Amino acid sequence: AMAGDAGGAYRLRCSLPGHQQDVRGLARGIFPDGGFVSVSRDRTARLWAPDGLNRGFTEMHCMRGHSNFVSCVCIIPPSDLYPRGLIATGGNDHNICIFTVDSTAPLYVLKGHKNAVCSLSSGKFGTLLSGSWDTTAKVWLHDRCMMTLQGHTAAIWAVKILPEQGLMLTGSADKTIKLWKAGRCERTFTGHEDCVRGLAILSEMEFLSCANDASVRRWQISGKCLQVYYGHTNYIYSISVFPHCKDFVTTGEDRSLRIWKQGECAQTIRLPAQSVWCCCVLDNGDIVVGASDGFVRVFTESSERTASAEEIQAFENELSQASIDPKTGDLGDINAEDLPGKEHLKEPGTRDGQTRLIKDNGKVEAYQWSVSEGRWIKIGDVVGSSGATQQTSGKVLFEGKEYDYVFTIDVNENGPSYKLPYNITDDPWLTAYYFLQKNDLNPMFLDQVAKFIMDNTKGQTLLNTNTQFSDPFTGAGRYVPGSSSGSSTVPGADPFTGAGRYVPGSASNAVAPMGGVDPYTGTGAYQSAAAKAENIYFPKKDAVTFDQANPTQILGKLKELNGTATEEQKLTEDDLIMLEKLLSATCNSSAETPTPQQLQTLWRAVNWPEDIVFPALDILRLSVRHPTVNASFCGEKDHVQFIRLLLKFLNPEEKQANQLLTLRALCNCFVNQAGQKLLMEQRDEIMTQAIEVASGNNKNIHIAFATLTLNYAVCLHKVNNTEGKVQCLSVINTVMEVVQDLEAVFRLLVALGTLISDDTNAVELAKSLGVGSQIKKYASVSEPAKVKECCRFVLDLL
């Protein structure tokens, strides 16, 4: 066939030497135009620019910063500060290095993962998502970790940030893919039968995944698997999409790069290396691949950019001399006796990439059919298995992680055999020690196992590896139980009925005006501020409390329920009088100060059984506003049991009245110093439990939860606590989906505005979580006007 009929087939553009070991990651560059970045087990990253001759690339510079293999890379898009973008690399030293395009040393290093970082993806506004063998993914903004995504039970090999803000994907050795929204796992995709290795985004609604099960799957964000593509004969390591269409390329452990068009494998290109680790597609449609032989190779459809005839011949010669191990299964089961001779190659192939084995002078040779060239190209000699040595680095997977070797050890004839994973960078003695410990074996075997490792790796250890030994069996790879638990929808019916009876929180949800006009009251005094568009809503400076009280009704209910209490829990007449005095001291600004005896009595009452405790919780809500009570319950001495008690009521299984009054009591703790300090210290746990309670559909609980979030926002606005802001922003984003009540929405909007006021980092984080699209609908609410106005002020910041 003439060269002119190439008909869109890819041919070699160039081979780029440079790296000393496997090329593990590639990313299309933003600067220089048409360039890319490669990373390798040789601990370097290299930036390549197209050279003037159209065909090759020049290494612009070599970046160093990792103390171990570099396994992944991505480009962070340009910003005002870095108009050429940044380069992020992840390594087996657990770190992520961030480089500018013109420097060989890192601008900064992100530390936080507890094991190898093997995948990176960048989003808008400078966010970066990383996946690690420590089973977590982390979201970074500039030089800070904003949140950790926990839920996978094995190494995370692939991560991608989706175009729709706030959505992220992770693929893991636990065979699942998870979709995360604002830090919470929204959906788990199951279908792959082995470790998920790569992800690629097709559109806002669809993505692709590839795995060690040799398949590619196309998914809808909704969870549906639309298609499965088969073609590879071994692990698929990477997948990359062509710009502006649904075609894609994949590379894998079967020595091949495959080009998929309209859902079919349109072309297979074999390479003279066992593992083709990574690929990326350049803007002009050229494909870059990195392999275990340390070479980067570029393939093109363009005849102008195709390599010279000599270079293509050299590549084919290299390919034909490759030795293929039949044990890898790349060529199917081979029985040399039944193979035809060279005359078999006179018949043309039936499809591109078809392989044919022939026997020539006792040697088995493999050929592949090229449709574009109409001929069989030799892709290597098939050799007998090379014994037990691990030909290429990092081939074996054990518990979802890669090792140079995985040995099978039989301790005694009859007992079970044990798997021992080993990397040549590891210390044989330490590995042997941990292996014996993990499997509860006699430490007497230490010398034997260490010697076995050294004999079987022929002393292949890398010199001066000063990496701290990270043990894959302890902390790092440990299972972190998923943080997502099903939200419980407790029936919204109120347990107390009957006219004139005391129902907790049934009065008004409005907050009493504390001097001046307060937008929280909704009372007649408040007029719309639309006329003079002045932001009277946020940043809010003081805590919002629940002050509504009817002491007579509360005490009446308490007495009634006291009659049903068991003997040892019953309060005496004196006790009831003490609680009455406590209420009057804390509700009517009487000059009396609550006494220790009164507080002890209240403590006994709030420890009542869950079905009768609510009036006591209501007394707690009101009295905790008083400085004496606040200092007593929230102070150093008693705060542990106080928080433990409140968290007990914030259980999704708990009665709704108790949940509600506990949330209100927590809000009221914020009015004094001791309460503020305690709630800020316990923020993570309180908010994590509170959001579980708020995921139901009780509007009063929603208002109380929104107020709690608002009070946290008020405190976080005063101190710069990024982690706290991240949690609150993520919580607001989650709760906004379930909240219907406009008072709750309003308070969440004020909390949001307060969190992002005067903090550009928080604004960027809110944008990356997609908060703007979540709240937009409230900008057009007609009544109450405060919702619309506050929403518009928040949107102005976003």
Side-chain angles (χ1 to χ4, degrees):
M2 293 175 47
D5 321 340
Y10 275 84
R11 302 188 69 190
L12 183 72
R13 171 174 168 179
C14 58
S15 291
L16 305 171
H19 285 295
Q20 317 291 295
Q21 284 187 347
D22 303 50
V23 178
R24 289 303 303 259
L26 289 162
R28 176 175 68 85
I30 290 172
F31 174 87
D33 201 27
F36 61 88
V37 185
S38 61
V39 297
S40 159
R41 286 174 71 112
D42 67 8
R43 308 183 180 193
T44 67
R46 292 166 202 249
L47 179 62
W48 304 86
D51 61 24
L53 302 168
N54 239 345
R55 289 200 180 142
F57 285 82
T58 315
E59 184 184 308
M60 284 182 70
H61 53 239
C62 177
M63 295 162 275
R64 294 172 193 276
H66 289 281
S67 59
N68 203 328
F69 308 150
V70 190
S71 41
C72 54
V73 58
C74 83
I75 304 294
I76 298 174
S79 60
D80 296 344
L81 197 52
Y82 301 105
R84 292 170 162 188
L86 295 168
I87 297 166
T89 60
N92 284 35
D93 57 3
H94 314 180
N95 293 342
I96 298 164
C97 291
I98 308 289
F99 298 89
T100 57
V101 288
D102 25 0
S103 164
T104 58
L107 178 68
Y108 50 87
V109 177
L110 305 177
K111 293 175 183 284
H113 278 297
K114 298 184 174 67
N115 208 324
V117 177
C118 50
S119 181
L120 292 166
S121 173
S122 60
K124 298 177 184 160
F125 317 110
T127 45
L128 181 67
L129 175 63
S130 60
S132 161
W133 289 2
D134 67 11
T135 75
T136 71
K138 288 181 182 287
V139 183
W140 310 80
L141 184 62
H142 309 314
D143 54 351
R144 283 218 169 111
C145 178
M146 291 298 172
M147 55 176 92
T148 298
L149 310 181
Q150 292 187 336
H152 281 294
T153 56
I156 294 180
W157 275 104
V159 296
K160 273 283 180 281
I161 294 183
L162 282 154
E164 189 193 321
Q165 290 177 10
L167 291 182
M168 297 172 180
L169 288 170
T170 53
S172 160
D174 64 15
K175 307 177 192 173
T176 70
I177 299 161
K178 288 182 184 289
L179 173 71
W180 306 80
K181 184 168 186 183
R184 290 167 70 84
C185 179
E186 291 273 305
R187 184 166 295 117
T188 300
F189 302 78
T190 54
H192 278 298
E193 287 161 27
D194 203 344
C195 178
V196 178
R197 293 302 285 259
L199 293 165
I201 307 298
L202 288 171
S203 68
E204 291 213 343
M205 300 317 294
E206 288 186 20
F207 67 92
L208 297 165
S209 61
C210 65
N212 281 357
D213 61 11
S215 76
V216 172
R217 286 175 176 258
R218 182 161 65 93
W219 306 86
Q220 259 175 347
I221 296 292
S222 63
K224 192 171 169 204
C225 179
L226 300 173
Q227 205 170 348
V228 184
Y229 308 86
Y230 294 103
H232 280 278
T233 57
N234 206 325
Y235 298 167
I236 306 177
Y237 291 136
S238 81
I239 184 163
S240 190
V241 177
F242 284 105
H244 320 299
C245 70
K246 291 201 169 178
D247 296 340
F248 57 94
V249 296
T250 51
T251 65
E253 180 62 14
D254 57 5
R255 315 154 59 88
S256 74
L257 152 71
R258 293 178 193 243
I259 296 150
W260 303 76
K261 300 207 164 162
Q262 275 95 49
E264 295 291 326
C265 179
Q267 192 182 352
T268 302
I269 297 173
R270 300 274 169 178
L271 282 107
Q274 180 67 53
S275 312
V276 191
W277 288 118
C278 50
C279 59
C280 72
V281 180
L282 302 179
D283 288 334
N284 60 11
D286 285 6
I287 301 165
V288 188
V289 296
S292 52
D293 60 358
F295 275 84
V296 172
R297 294 182 180 83
V298 187
F299 294 88
T300 184
E301 274 184 310
S302 141
S303 47
E304 288 92 78
R305 293 194 296 273
T306 302
S308 65
E310 297 82 54
E311 286 175 279
I312 288 188
Q313 192 54 56
F315 173 68
E316 286 185 11
N317 291 346
E318 196 185 350
L319 192 56
S320 71
Q321 286 154 21
S323 45
I324 301 171
D325 179 350
K327 280 224 170 62
T328 59
D330 301 348
L331 304 167
D333 289 332
I334 300 165
N335 184 350
E337 302 310 307
D338 309 341
L339 293 175
K342 213 162 191 155
E343 67 288 350
H344 193 43
L345 297 176
K346 293 201 178 78
E347 299 165 31
T350 52
R351 58 181 174 81
D352 192 81
Q354 178 186 359
T355 50
R356 196 163 268 183
L357 301 178
I358 61 132
K359 198 169 164 192
D360 188 30
N361 295 331
K363 277 203 340 240
V364 178
E365 297 178 345
Y367 285 80
Q368 174 176 311
W369 178 251
S370 165
V371 167
S372 57
E373 301 182 33
R375 66 188 176 102
W376 289 99
I377 298 171
K378 185 179 174 195
I379 57 170
D381 295 310
V382 180
V383 295
S385 164
S386 46
T389 61
Q390 201 54 44
Q391 283 279 295
T392 46
S393 38
K395 264 328 70 52
V396 209
L397 255 98
F398 177 64
E399 292 184 349
K401 302 198 192 95
E402 272 183 332
Y403 295 93
D404 293 328
Y405 299 86
V406 174
F407 297 114
T408 303
I409 306 257
D410 295 304
V411 182
N412 58 41
E413 307 285 276
N414 325 329
S417 55
Y418 299 92
K419 292 275 187 248
L420 185 155
Y422 179 74
N423 284 319
I424 52 179
T425 48
D426 295 345
D427 175 303
W429 296 93
L430 257 176
T431 306
Y433 170 74
Y434 282 123
F435 165 75
L436 294 171
Q437 227 186 1
K438 178 189 188 222
N439 295 300
D440 250 349
L441 298 171
N442 191 329
M444 299 275 291
F445 290 124
L446 183 63
D447 287 4
Q448 235 172 309
V449 176
K451 186 171 180 310
F452 173 86
I453 294 173
M454 290 184 280
D455 290 348
N456 283 282
T457 54
K458 297 288 178 281
Q460 258 196 325
T461 48
L462 296 189
L463 295 171
N464 55 23
T465 52
N466 52 3
T467 53
Q468 310 95 346
F469 178 78
S470 118
D471 171 22
F473 306 114
T474 54
R478 249 195 338 215
Y479 166 61
V480 182
S483 48
S484 55
S485 74
S487 61
S488 92
T489 44
V490 217
D494 205 308
F496 324 106
T497 45
R501 304 184 85 192
Y502 161 63
V503 178
S506 60
S508 118
N509 301 307
V511 177
M514 303 289 268
V517 172
D518 185 339
Y520 295 89
T521 57
T523 45
Y526 169 64
Q527 272 100 41
S528 158
K532 49 173 200 315
E534 178 199 343
N535 183 354
I536 55 169
Y537 303 107
F538 62 83
K540 186 107 179 69
K541 297 282 193 280
D542 304 302
V544 175
T545 51
F546 289 89
D547 304 314
Q548 171 66 33
N550 184 331
T552 329
Q553 267 194 339
I554 296 174
L555 286 164
K557 193 75 199 172
L558 185 79
K559 285 175 182 160
E560 177 196 322
L561 291 173
N562 189 40
T564 70
T566 61
E567 280 315 309
E568 64 268 24
Q569 284 168 331
K570 247 193 191 68
L571 301 175
T572 62
E573 275 306 309
D574 290 352
D575 291 337
L576 293 169
I577 291 165
M578 275 196 213
L579 290 179
E580 194 172 342
K581 283 192 172 150
L582 176 62
L583 262 180
S584 100
T586 53
C587 289
N588 326 325
S589 43
S590 73
E592 287 182 42
T593 304
T595 66
Q597 289 84 351
Q598 291 169 3
L599 295 184
Q600 271 166 352
T601 306
L602 175 58
W603 182 250
R604 273 174 48 215
V606 292
N607 278 286
W608 269 4
E610 59 168 21
D611 45 343
I612 60 171
V613 71
F614 65 92
L617 286 176
D618 220 2
I619 298 174
L620 177 68
R621 160 188 72 99
L622 291 163
S623 50
V624 79
R625 296 167 307 165
H626 193 286
T628 313
V629 183
N630 194 292
S632 168
F633 282 143
C634 304
E636 288 302 312
K637 194 163 137 295
D638 293 325
H639 71 259
V640 178
Q641 49 183 3
F642 179 63
I643 281 293
R644 205 171 287 153
L645 174 84
L646 294 183
L647 286 174
K648 183 185 87 179
F649 293 122
L650 283 190
N651 175 345
E653 310 301 308
E654 186 63 53
K655 281 193 160 6
Q656 285 197 331
N658 297 346
Q659 295 173 347
L660 174 67
L661 293 169
T662 302
L663 286 170
R664 290 181 176 180
L666 285 165
C667 293
N668 288 359
C669 285
F670 277 96
V671 293
N672 290 294
Q673 204 59 48
Q676 259 180 44
K677 180 172 177 292
L678 174 63
L679 266 63
M680 286 297 276
E681 282 167 8
Q682 305 288 327
R683 167 190 52 77
D684 188 38
E685 207 177 340
I686 291 173
M687 286 306 263
T688 306
Q689 291 216 199
I691 191 161
E692 292 296 333
V693 168
S695 53
N697 51 11
N698 179 312
K699 105 176 187 183
N700 288 334
I701 286 181
H702 287 169
I703 294 171
F705 178 79
T707 312
L708 179 64
T709 311
L710 172 53
N711 288 351
Y712 269 118
V714 169
C715 288
L716 289 164
H717 182 249
K718 295 177 189 149
V719 297
N720 195 9
N721 173 338
T722 311
E723 203 185 313
K725 287 191 174 182
V726 172
Q727 187 184 31
C728 287
L729 286 169
S730 168
V731 152
I732 291 170
N733 212 24
T734 308
V735 173
M736 274 289 187
E737 291 182 16
V738 292
V739 169
Q740 306 283 308
D741 182 82
L742 289 175
E743 181 59 39
V745 167
F746 171 67
R747 294 183 187 198
L748 289 169
L749 289 169
V750 176
L752 185 53
T754 304
L755 285 167
I756 64 178
S757 291
D758 321 314
D759 182 348
T760 50
N761 249 359
V763 170
E764 287 187 359
L765 186 75
K767 284 182 183 172
S768 71
L769 288 173
V771 172
S773 55
Q774 185 80 281
I775 63 170
K776 249 194 228 90
K777 58 183 176 210
Y778 296 115
S780 48
V781 168
S782 51
E783 278 299 314
K786 63 182 184 178
V787 172
K788 172 176 69 187
E789 287 158 19
C790 184
C791 181
R792 288 178 183 173
F793 282 121
V794 175
L795 288 171
D796 287 347
L797 289 181
L798 294 173

